[in-house]
Amino acid sequence: MTNGFVIPLRQRRDLAILGYDSRRIRRAVDAGQLTLLRRGIFARTTELADLTVEDRAVLRARAYAAIASIPPIFATRTAAALHGLPLLADDEKTHVISTADRPGSGYEVVRHRGQLDEDDLTEIGGLRCTSLSRTVADLARTDSRERAVSAADAALRKVAFRAPETYDDDAADGFTDMALAHISPTSVGRAKARWVLTFANGRAQLPGESISRIRLRELGFAPPSLQVPVAGPRGCTYWVDFGLDDADAWGEFDGTSKYRDQTMTGGRSTSEVVEREKRREDWIRGVTKRALVRWGWGDITDAASLGRRLAAFGVRPR
């Protein structure tokens, strides 16, 4: 569950208990001490500083639900955040599914039209939203390929990844079939949705890896092997992001979380992580006799950028 569920929401009556009248609330907002989330719903600004894009989407959903006269059903990007899927960027909107007789979208709320069965709904942290498979299907229809594939990969990883480093293909196929079942012959964006859902692969660990797969396909590479094990020294195993088998090379997406996220660094300093990565990379090159190319976010903005990065190391599709 994201930190967006943890931040306390403060309504006017809560602030009144602390001695805040309307004038003091206005001064606190103007001074940046309080942040207005929705009409009458506030949070302490200092508590928002470290929130991710997904956390902020969840916080907006909670604030909207707190004042809504009818319990909302959150959908698409907002539902994705509730499910813990990556958003890549913040559109600062709250996305809900509404019946045809409800008003249209406003400045802060985007209302999507659609029919829902009970199986299409779930509840997370007291908030109603579309199910994981329905959410992924809706994103696949309506959002960019990059965002949709990143979300679909993450959803598949949630349902099919089994520690240590095993992947349940049957569970993944079952989830994909469920998501595809939400795409009707008359659905807008159905062709793109089917492409996204059949392309998705939960072996991708990060959104940068998901987008890298799109770029590699655009460049004409064969589908890469994902999270490939390479036997390391003293019985350890190294995992490589991409096996570019048609180019006899390895690829690694270098996201900043590899060096900053304590859950990924094991508490080691950045310099220690860099040194370990260098030793790991040297071993993989030496043992497999393959080139290993690293790239980052700046290299996957488009296919041409990644193509130039790979070509600089002599790596091209065959």
Side-chain angles (χ1 to χ4, degrees):
M1 192 167 287
T2 78
N3 287 333
F5 282 105
V6 177
I7 303 299
L9 299 181
R10 293 173 169 86
Q11 300 191 35
R12 286 186 178 274
R13 61 175 177 269
D14 303 317
L15 294 172
I17 295 173
L18 299 175
Y20 283 76
D21 58 15
S22 296
R23 182 176 299 177
R24 186 179 177 188
I25 290 173
R26 186 164 54 251
R27 288 202 304 268
V29 171
D30 291 342
Q33 298 165 341
L34 290 176
T35 295
L36 177 65
L37 300 175
R38 289 201 71 83
R39 185 182 69 253
I41 306 292
F42 304 85
R44 291 194 183 279
T45 303
T46 54
E47 295 175 330
L48 310 182
D50 296 326
L51 295 186
T52 64
V53 168
E54 295 78 19
D55 293 333
R56 291 179 180 275
V58 169
L59 195 63
R60 287 196 300 269
R62 290 176 57 213
Y64 179 64
I67 65 166
S69 57
I70 299 173
I73 298 172
F74 297 104
T76 64
R77 297 184 186 184
T78 303
L82 291 170
H83 282 288
L85 305 182
L87 295 182
L88 300 182
D90 193 352
D91 66 354
E92 300 185 356
K93 307 286 187 181
T94 298
H95 295 258
V96 299
I97 280 190
S98 298
T99 56
D101 59 342
R102 292 298 304 277
S105 300
Y107 175 70
E108 296 176 324
V109 178
V110 178
R111 300 186 186 278
H112 301 267
R113 308 303 181 191
Q115 297 298 316
L116 292 172
D117 298 324
E118 277 303 311
D119 290 344
D120 296 333
L121 297 174
T122 191
E123 185 174 303
I124 301 174
L127 302 177
R128 292 202 304 166
C129 65
T130 50
S131 66
L132 185 62
S133 61
R134 175 63 187 262
T135 299
V136 168
D138 287 346
L139 286 173
R141 287 192 307 105
T142 63
D143 222 318
S144 69
R145 279 198 310 171
E146 289 78 7
R147 195 191 308 271
V149 169
S150 297
D153 283 358
L156 282 168
R157 188 166 180 81
K158 286 170 73 75
V159 303
F161 179 76
R162 308 282 186 264
E165 296 295 338
T166 58
Y167 190 72
D168 187 335
D169 287 296
D170 289 339
D173 291 343
F175 179 83
T176 299
D177 288 343
M178 288 174 58
L180 284 168
H182 294 299
I183 310 300
S184 75
T186 59
S187 296
V188 175
R190 59 189 178 277
K192 179 171 75 71
R194 292 193 181 102
W195 184 92
V196 167
L197 295 173
T198 54
F199 180 77
N201 191 320
R203 292 180 178 85
Q205 292 185 315
L206 298 168
E209 294 175 24
S210 300
I211 298 173
S212 295
R213 294 197 302 114
I214 296 174
R215 301 295 178 245
L216 290 168
R217 183 185 179 100
E218 291 170 341
L219 288 167
F221 283 90
S225 303
L226 303 179
Q227 298 305 317
V228 185
V230 175
R234 295 180 294 280
C236 76
T237 300
Y238 292 138
W239 297 88
V240 188
D241 293 342
F242 302 99
L244 306 176
D245 301 323
D246 56 334
D248 199 28
W250 302 110
E252 290 264 284
F253 175 74
D254 236 359
T256 56
S257 60
K258 183 178 293 186
Y259 305 101
R260 297 178 183 175
D261 188 336
Q262 291 296 304
T263 63
M264 299 184 71
T265 65
R268 301 179 184 91
S269 67
T270 299
S271 60
E272 289 174 321
V273 173
V274 170
E275 178 60 28
R276 284 172 64 91
E277 282 293 299
K278 183 179 184 300
R279 291 199 301 268
R280 168 183 170 276
E281 187 173 315
D282 288 343
W283 177 275
I284 293 169
R285 284 198 183 105
V287 168
T288 66
K289 310 304 179 187
R290 278 185 166 193
L292 191 156
V293 184
R294 293 181 175 276
W295 59 81
W297 282 107
D299 301 306
I300 58 174
T301 54
D302 52 49
S305 297
L306 182 57
R308 285 192 294 270
R309 174 70 178 173
L310 294 170
F313 293 87
V315 177
R316 298 178 176 84
R318 294 176 184 170

PDB file of all heavy atoms in Angstrom, residues 236-262:
ATOM      1  N   CYS A 236      26.958 -17.748  -6.452  1.00  0.00           N
ATOM      2  CA  CYS A 236      25.905 -16.728  -6.558  1.00  0.00           C
ATOM      3  C   CYS A 236      25.359 -16.682  -7.982  1.00  0.00           C
ATOM      4  O   CYS A 236      25.937 -17.260  -8.912  1.00  0.00           O
ATOM      5  CB  CYS A 236      26.423 -15.353  -6.139  1.00  0.00           C
ATOM      6  SG  CYS A 236      27.475 -14.546  -7.364  1.00  0.00           S
ATOM      7  N   THR A 237      24.256 -16.015  -8.152  1.00  0.00           N
ATOM      8  CA  THR A 237      23.651 -15.852  -9.472  1.00  0.00           C
ATOM      9  C   THR A 237      23.481 -14.367  -9.768  1.00  0.00           C
ATOM     10  O   THR A 237      22.960 -13.624  -8.938  1.00  0.00           O
ATOM     11  CB  THR A 237      22.276 -16.539  -9.549  1.00  0.00           C
ATOM     12  OG1 THR A 237      22.430 -17.941  -9.289  1.00  0.00           O
ATOM     13  CG2 THR A 237      21.650 -16.357 -10.922  1.00  0.00           C
ATOM     14  N   TYR A 238      23.924 -13.942 -10.931  1.00  0.00           N
ATOM     15  CA  TYR A 238      23.692 -12.583 -11.405  1.00  0.00           C
ATOM     16  C   TYR A 238      22.501 -12.608 -12.359  1.00  0.00           C
ATOM     17  O   TYR A 238      22.374 -13.519 -13.184  1.00  0.00           O
ATOM     18  CB  TYR A 238      24.915 -12.038 -12.137  1.00  0.00           C
ATOM     19  CG  TYR A 238      26.122 -11.798 -11.255  1.00  0.00           C
ATOM     20  CD1 TYR A 238      27.407 -12.142 -11.686  1.00  0.00           C
ATOM     21  CD2 TYR A 238      25.988 -11.203 -10.000  1.00  0.00           C
ATOM     22  CE1 TYR A 238      28.520 -11.901 -10.891  1.00  0.00           C
ATOM     23  CE2 TYR A 238      27.090 -10.960  -9.193  1.00  0.00           C
ATOM     24  CZ  TYR A 238      28.353 -11.320  -9.655  1.00  0.00           C
ATOM     25  OH  TYR A 238      29.453 -11.093  -8.858  1.00  0.00           O
ATOM     26  N   TRP A 239      21.659 -11.599 -12.257  1.00  0.00           N
ATOM     27  CA  TRP A 239      20.493 -11.492 -13.137  1.00  0.00           C
ATOM     28  C   TRP A 239      20.686 -10.299 -14.060  1.00  0.00           C
ATOM     29  O   TRP A 239      20.972  -9.189 -13.607  1.00  0.00           O
ATOM     30  CB  TRP A 239      19.216 -11.339 -12.312  1.00  0.00           C
ATOM     31  CG  TRP A 239      18.962 -12.530 -11.449  1.00  0.00           C
ATOM     32  CD1 TRP A 239      19.428 -12.756 -10.191  1.00  0.00           C
ATOM     33  CD2 TRP A 239      18.211 -13.696 -11.805  1.00  0.00           C
ATOM     34  NE1 TRP A 239      19.012 -13.987  -9.727  1.00  0.00           N
ATOM     35  CE2 TRP A 239      18.251 -14.581 -10.707  1.00  0.00           C
ATOM     36  CE3 TRP A 239      17.498 -14.070 -12.944  1.00  0.00           C
ATOM     37  CZ2 TRP A 239      17.618 -15.820 -10.717  1.00  0.00           C
ATOM     38  CZ3 TRP A 239      16.860 -15.303 -12.953  1.00  0.00           C
ATOM     39  CH2 TRP A 239      16.928 -16.165 -11.850  1.00  0.00           C
ATOM     40  N   VAL A 240      20.524 -10.529 -15.346  1.00  0.00           N
ATOM     41  CA  VAL A 240      20.724  -9.479 -16.351  1.00  0.00           C
ATOM     42  C   VAL A 240      19.359  -9.102 -16.921  1.00  0.00           C
ATOM     43  O   VAL A 240      18.541  -9.972 -17.247  1.00  0.00           O
ATOM     44  CB  VAL A 240      21.655  -9.951 -17.480  1.00  0.00           C
ATOM     45  CG1 VAL A 240      22.002  -8.774 -18.397  1.00  0.00           C
ATOM     46  CG2 VAL A 240      22.925 -10.557 -16.901  1.00  0.00           C
ATOM     47  N   ASP A 241      19.112  -7.792 -17.049  1.00  0.00           N
ATOM     48  CA  ASP A 241      17.789  -7.318 -17.478  1.00  0.00           C
ATOM     49  C   ASP A 241      17.369  -7.875 -18.826  1.00  0.00           C
ATOM     50  O   ASP A 241      16.241  -8.358 -18.990  1.00  0.00           O
ATOM     51  CB  ASP A 241      17.779  -5.783 -17.545  1.00  0.00           C
ATOM     52  CG  ASP A 241      17.919  -5.131 -16.184  1.00  0.00           C
ATOM     53  OD1 ASP A 241      17.677  -5.812 -15.160  1.00  0.00           O
ATOM     54  OD2 ASP A 241      18.269  -3.933 -16.133  1.00  0.00           O
ATOM     55  N   PHE A 242      18.268  -7.779 -19.827  1.00  0.00           N
ATOM     56  CA  PHE A 242      17.896  -8.149 -21.193  1.00  0.00           C
ATOM     57  C   PHE A 242      18.961  -9.047 -21.815  1.00  0.00           C
ATOM     58  O   PHE A 242      20.145  -8.699 -21.809  1.00  0.00           O
ATOM     59  CB  PHE A 242      17.752  -6.906 -22.086  1.00  0.00           C
ATOM     60  CG  PHE A 242      16.746  -5.910 -21.599  1.00  0.00           C
ATOM     61  CD1 PHE A 242      17.142  -4.789 -20.892  1.00  0.00           C
ATOM     62  CD2 PHE A 242      15.391  -6.100 -21.839  1.00  0.00           C
ATOM     63  CE1 PHE A 242      16.215  -3.873 -20.433  1.00  0.00           C
ATOM     64  CE2 PHE A 242      14.461  -5.190 -21.383  1.00  0.00           C
ATOM     65  CZ  PHE A 242      14.870  -4.083 -20.678  1.00  0.00           C
ATOM     66  N   GLY A 243      18.517 -10.153 -22.364  1.00  0.00           N
ATOM     67  CA  GLY A 243      19.371 -10.946 -23.227  1.00  0.00           C
ATOM     68  C   GLY A 243      19.034 -10.631 -24.671  1.00  0.00           C
ATOM     69  O   GLY A 243      17.983 -11.038 -25.178  1.00  0.00           O
ATOM     70  N   LEU A 244      19.884  -9.847 -25.316  1.00  0.00           N
ATOM     71  CA  LEU A 244      19.671  -9.481 -26.719  1.00  0.00           C
ATOM     72  C   LEU A 244      20.287 -10.584 -27.569  1.00  0.00           C
ATOM     73  O   LEU A 244      21.371 -10.441 -28.141  1.00  0.00           O
ATOM     74  CB  LEU A 244      20.301  -8.110 -27.007  1.00  0.00           C
ATOM     75  CG  LEU A 244      19.847  -6.973 -26.077  1.00  0.00           C
ATOM     76  CD1 LEU A 244      20.608  -5.688 -26.392  1.00  0.00           C
ATOM     77  CD2 LEU A 244      18.344  -6.759 -26.209  1.00  0.00           C
ATOM     78  N   ASP A 245      19.577 -11.694 -27.654  1.00  0.00           N
ATOM     79  CA  ASP A 245      20.158 -12.909 -28.209  1.00  0.00           C
ATOM     80  C   ASP A 245      20.460 -12.791 -29.694  1.00  0.00           C
ATOM     81  O   ASP A 245      21.423 -13.391 -30.185  1.00  0.00           O
ATOM     82  CB  ASP A 245      19.219 -14.096 -27.946  1.00  0.00           C
ATOM     83  CG  ASP A 245      18.975 -14.306 -26.452  1.00  0.00           C
ATOM     84  OD1 ASP A 245      19.926 -14.117 -25.664  1.00  0.00           O
ATOM     85  OD2 ASP A 245      17.835 -14.622 -26.069  1.00  0.00           O
ATOM     86  N   ASP A 246      19.649 -12.016 -30.424  1.00  0.00           N
ATOM     87  CA  ASP A 246      19.918 -11.879 -31.850  1.00  0.00           C
ATOM     88  C   ASP A 246      21.141 -11.011 -32.124  1.00  0.00           C
ATOM     89  O   ASP A 246      21.687 -11.023 -33.220  1.00  0.00           O
ATOM     90  CB  ASP A 246      18.700 -11.322 -32.593  1.00  0.00           C
ATOM     91  CG  ASP A 246      18.213 -10.000 -32.029  1.00  0.00           C
ATOM     92  OD1 ASP A 246      18.442  -9.744 -30.827  1.00  0.00           O
ATOM     93  OD2 ASP A 246      17.593  -9.224 -32.777  1.00  0.00           O
ATOM     94  N   ALA A 247      21.590 -10.250 -31.122  1.00  0.00           N
ATOM     95  CA  ALA A 247      22.788  -9.415 -31.269  1.00  0.00           C
ATOM     96  C   ALA A 247      23.941  -9.955 -30.436  1.00  0.00           C
ATOM     97  O   ALA A 247      25.008  -9.333 -30.387  1.00  0.00           O
ATOM     98  CB  ALA A 247      22.484  -7.981 -30.853  1.00  0.00           C
ATOM     99  N   ASP A 248      23.737 -11.121 -29.786  1.00  0.00           N
ATOM    100  CA  ASP A 248      24.757 -11.739 -28.941  1.00  0.00           C
ATOM    101  C   ASP A 248      25.294 -10.729 -27.915  1.00  0.00           C
ATOM    102  O   ASP A 248      26.505 -10.541 -27.764  1.00  0.00           O
ATOM    103  CB  ASP A 248      25.916 -12.275 -29.805  1.00  0.00           C
ATOM    104  CG  ASP A 248      26.751 -13.305 -29.060  1.00  0.00           C
ATOM    105  OD1 ASP A 248      26.202 -13.976 -28.167  1.00  0.00           O
ATOM    106  OD2 ASP A 248      27.956 -13.409 -29.352  1.00  0.00           O
ATOM    107  N   ALA A 249      24.347 -10.074 -27.221  1.00  0.00           N
ATOM    108  CA  ALA A 249      24.729  -9.028 -26.269  1.00  0.00           C
ATOM    109  C   ALA A 249      23.770  -9.034 -25.083  1.00  0.00           C
ATOM    110  O   ALA A 249      22.719  -9.687 -25.100  1.00  0.00           O
ATOM    111  CB  ALA A 249      24.710  -7.655 -26.948  1.00  0.00           C
ATOM    112  N   TRP A 250      24.169  -8.308 -24.057  1.00  0.00           N
ATOM    113  CA  TRP A 250      23.335  -8.099 -22.875  1.00  0.00           C
ATOM    114  C   TRP A 250      22.952  -6.629 -22.790  1.00  0.00           C
ATOM    115  O   TRP A 250      23.696  -5.761 -23.232  1.00  0.00           O
ATOM    116  CB  TRP A 250      24.084  -8.473 -21.592  1.00  0.00           C
ATOM    117  CG  TRP A 250      24.584  -9.870 -21.498  1.00  0.00           C
ATOM    118  CD1 TRP A 250      25.892 -10.283 -21.543  1.00  0.00           C
ATOM    119  CD2 TRP A 250      23.806 -11.059 -21.330  1.00  0.00           C
ATOM    120  NE1 TRP A 250      25.971 -11.641 -21.413  1.00  0.00           N
ATOM    121  CE2 TRP A 250      24.703 -12.148 -21.274  1.00  0.00           C
ATOM    122  CE3 TRP A 250      22.436 -11.311 -21.234  1.00  0.00           C
ATOM    123  CZ2 TRP A 250      24.285 -13.461 -21.125  1.00  0.00           C
ATOM    124  CZ3 TRP A 250      22.014 -12.625 -21.072  1.00  0.00           C
ATOM    125  CH2 TRP A 250      22.918 -13.678 -21.022  1.00  0.00           C
ATOM    126  N   GLY A 251      21.805  -6.359 -22.197  1.00  0.00           N
ATOM    127  CA  GLY A 251      21.378  -4.978 -21.971  1.00  0.00           C
ATOM    128  C   GLY A 251      20.920  -4.789 -20.545  1.00  0.00           C
ATOM    129  O   GLY A 251      20.335  -5.693 -19.937  1.00  0.00           O
ATOM    130  N   GLU A 252      21.203  -3.622 -19.988  1.00  0.00           N
ATOM    131  CA  GLU A 252      20.809  -3.302 -18.615  1.00  0.00           C
ATOM    132  C   GLU A 252      20.214  -1.905 -18.582  1.00  0.00           C
ATOM    133  O   GLU A 252      20.826  -0.939 -19.084  1.00  0.00           O
ATOM    134  CB  GLU A 252      22.022  -3.321 -17.675  1.00  0.00           C
ATOM    135  CG  GLU A 252      22.593  -4.697 -17.421  1.00  0.00           C
ATOM    136  CD  GLU A 252      22.043  -5.291 -16.137  1.00  0.00           C
ATOM    137  OE1 GLU A 252      22.480  -4.876 -15.053  1.00  0.00           O
ATOM    138  OE2 GLU A 252      21.163  -6.168 -16.233  1.00  0.00           O
ATOM    139  N   PHE A 253      19.007  -1.786 -18.008  1.00  0.00           N
ATOM    140  CA  PHE A 253      18.445  -0.462 -17.775  1.00  0.00           C
ATOM    141  C   PHE A 253      18.952   0.044 -16.438  1.00  0.00           C
ATOM    142  O   PHE A 253      18.809  -0.625 -15.417  1.00  0.00           O
ATOM    143  CB  PHE A 253      16.924  -0.486 -17.783  1.00  0.00           C
ATOM    144  CG  PHE A 253      16.323   0.843 -17.421  1.00  0.00           C
ATOM    145  CD1 PHE A 253      16.341   1.884 -18.333  1.00  0.00           C
ATOM    146  CD2 PHE A 253      15.815   1.070 -16.151  1.00  0.00           C
ATOM    147  CE1 PHE A 253      15.833   3.127 -17.997  1.00  0.00           C
ATOM    148  CE2 PHE A 253      15.308   2.306 -15.810  1.00  0.00           C
ATOM    149  CZ  PHE A 253      15.311   3.340 -16.733  1.00  0.00           C
ATOM    150  N   ASP A 254      19.536   1.228 -16.445  1.00  0.00           N
ATOM    151  CA  ASP A 254      20.165   1.799 -15.253  1.00  0.00           C
ATOM    152  C   ASP A 254      19.263   2.859 -14.642  1.00  0.00           C
ATOM    153  O   ASP A 254      19.434   4.059 -14.886  1.00  0.00           O
ATOM    154  CB  ASP A 254      21.506   2.435 -15.640  1.00  0.00           C
ATOM    155  CG  ASP A 254      22.653   1.865 -14.821  1.00  0.00           C
ATOM    156  OD1 ASP A 254      22.391   1.009 -13.962  1.00  0.00           O
ATOM    157  OD2 ASP A 254      23.803   2.269 -15.052  1.00  0.00           O
ATOM    158  N   GLY A 255      18.265   2.469 -13.865  1.00  0.00           N
ATOM    159  CA  GLY A 255      17.429   3.433 -13.173  1.00  0.00           C
ATOM    160  C   GLY A 255      18.112   3.932 -11.913  1.00  0.00           C
ATOM    161  O   GLY A 255      18.950   3.244 -11.327  1.00  0.00           O
ATOM    162  N   THR A 256      17.769   5.129 -11.470  1.00  0.00           N
ATOM    163  CA  THR A 256      18.424   5.704 -10.284  1.00  0.00           C
ATOM    164  C   THR A 256      18.093   4.928  -9.018  1.00  0.00           C
ATOM    165  O   THR A 256      18.844   4.976  -8.045  1.00  0.00           O
ATOM    166  CB  THR A 256      18.001   7.170 -10.095  1.00  0.00           C
ATOM    167  OG1 THR A 256      16.569   7.246 -10.012  1.00  0.00           O
ATOM    168  CG2 THR A 256      18.487   8.025 -11.260  1.00  0.00           C
ATOM    169  N   SER A 257      16.962   4.185  -9.008  1.00  0.00           N
ATOM    170  CA  SER A 257      16.588   3.448  -7.800  1.00  0.00           C
ATOM    171  C   SER A 257      17.621   2.395  -7.450  1.00  0.00           C
ATOM    172  O   SER A 257      17.758   2.011  -6.286  1.00  0.00           O
ATOM    173  CB  SER A 257      15.217   2.793  -7.980  1.00  0.00           C
ATOM    174  OG  SER A 257      15.232   1.890  -9.071  1.00  0.00           O
ATOM    175  N   LYS A 258      18.372   1.940  -8.447  1.00  0.00           N
ATOM    176  CA  LYS A 258      19.396   0.934  -8.195  1.00  0.00           C
ATOM    177  C   LYS A 258      20.451   1.460  -7.228  1.00  0.00           C
ATOM    178  O   LYS A 258      21.101   0.689  -6.520  1.00  0.00           O
ATOM    179  CB  LYS A 258      20.054   0.534  -9.525  1.00  0.00           C
ATOM    180  CG  LYS A 258      21.098  -0.571  -9.419  1.00  0.00           C
ATOM    181  CD  LYS A 258      21.664  -0.931 -10.773  1.00  0.00           C
ATOM    182  CE  LYS A 258      20.631  -1.585 -11.662  1.00  0.00           C
ATOM    183  NZ  LYS A 258      21.209  -2.072 -12.932  1.00  0.00           N
ATOM    184  N   TYR A 259      20.614   2.776  -7.197  1.00  0.00           N
ATOM    185  CA  TYR A 259      21.645   3.375  -6.362  1.00  0.00           C
ATOM    186  C   TYR A 259      21.079   4.101  -5.143  1.00  0.00           C
ATOM    187  O   TYR A 259      21.825   4.425  -4.219  1.00  0.00           O
ATOM    188  CB  TYR A 259      22.465   4.368  -7.203  1.00  0.00           C
ATOM    189  CG  TYR A 259      23.036   3.727  -8.448  1.00  0.00           C
ATOM    190  CD1 TYR A 259      22.435   3.922  -9.686  1.00  0.00           C
ATOM    191  CD2 TYR A 259      24.142   2.891  -8.375  1.00  0.00           C
ATOM    192  CE1 TYR A 259      22.943   3.308 -10.825  1.00  0.00           C
ATOM    193  CE2 TYR A 259      24.662   2.280  -9.506  1.00  0.00           C
ATOM    194  CZ  TYR A 259      24.054   2.493 -10.732  1.00  0.00           C
ATOM    195  OH  TYR A 259      24.547   1.875 -11.861  1.00  0.00           O
ATOM    196  N   ARG A 260      19.761   4.350  -5.112  1.00  0.00           N
ATOM    197  CA  ARG A 260      19.172   5.154  -4.039  1.00  0.00           C
ATOM    198  C   ARG A 260      18.186   4.404  -3.164  1.00  0.00           C
ATOM    199  O   ARG A 260      18.066   4.679  -1.978  1.00  0.00           O
ATOM    200  CB  ARG A 260      18.472   6.384  -4.643  1.00  0.00           C
ATOM    201  CG  ARG A 260      19.420   7.321  -5.370  1.00  0.00           C
ATOM    202  CD  ARG A 260      18.643   8.491  -5.981  1.00  0.00           C
ATOM    203  NE  ARG A 260      19.507   9.369  -6.733  1.00  0.00           N
ATOM    204  CZ  ARG A 260      19.071  10.405  -7.444  1.00  0.00           C
ATOM    205  NH1 ARG A 260      17.770  10.677  -7.496  1.00  0.00           N
ATOM    206  NH2 ARG A 260      19.916  11.176  -8.108  1.00  0.00           N
ATOM    207  N   ASP A 261      17.446   3.471  -3.763  1.00  0.00           N
ATOM    208  CA  ASP A 261      16.402   2.772  -3.027  1.00  0.00           C
ATOM    209  C   ASP A 261      17.027   1.777  -2.059  1.00  0.00           C
ATOM    210  O   ASP A 261      17.702   0.823  -2.468  1.00  0.00           O
ATOM    211  CB  ASP A 261      15.482   2.046  -4.013  1.00  0.00           C
ATOM    212  CG  ASP A 261      14.247   1.458  -3.343  1.00  0.00           C
ATOM    213  OD1 ASP A 261      14.298   1.196  -2.133  1.00  0.00           O
ATOM    214  OD2 ASP A 261      13.245   1.253  -4.049  1.00  0.00           O
ATOM    215  N   GLN A 262      16.777   1.969  -0.753  1.00  0.00           N
ATOM    216  CA  GLN A 262      17.397   1.124   0.253  1.00  0.00           C
ATOM    217  C   GLN A 262      16.961  -0.328   0.129  1.00  0.00           C
ATOM    218  O   GLN A 262      17.703  -1.242   0.512  1.00  0.00           O
ATOM    219  CB  GLN A 262      17.065   1.656   1.660  1.00  0.00           C
ATOM    220  CG  GLN A 262      17.741   2.991   1.985  1.00  0.00           C
ATOM    221  CD  GLN A 262      19.257   2.885   2.019  1.00  0.00           C
ATOM    222  OE1 GLN A 262      19.800   2.083   2.742  1.00  0.00           O
ATOM    223  NE2 GLN A 262      19.933   3.676   1.201  1.00  0.00           N
TER     224      GLN A 262
END
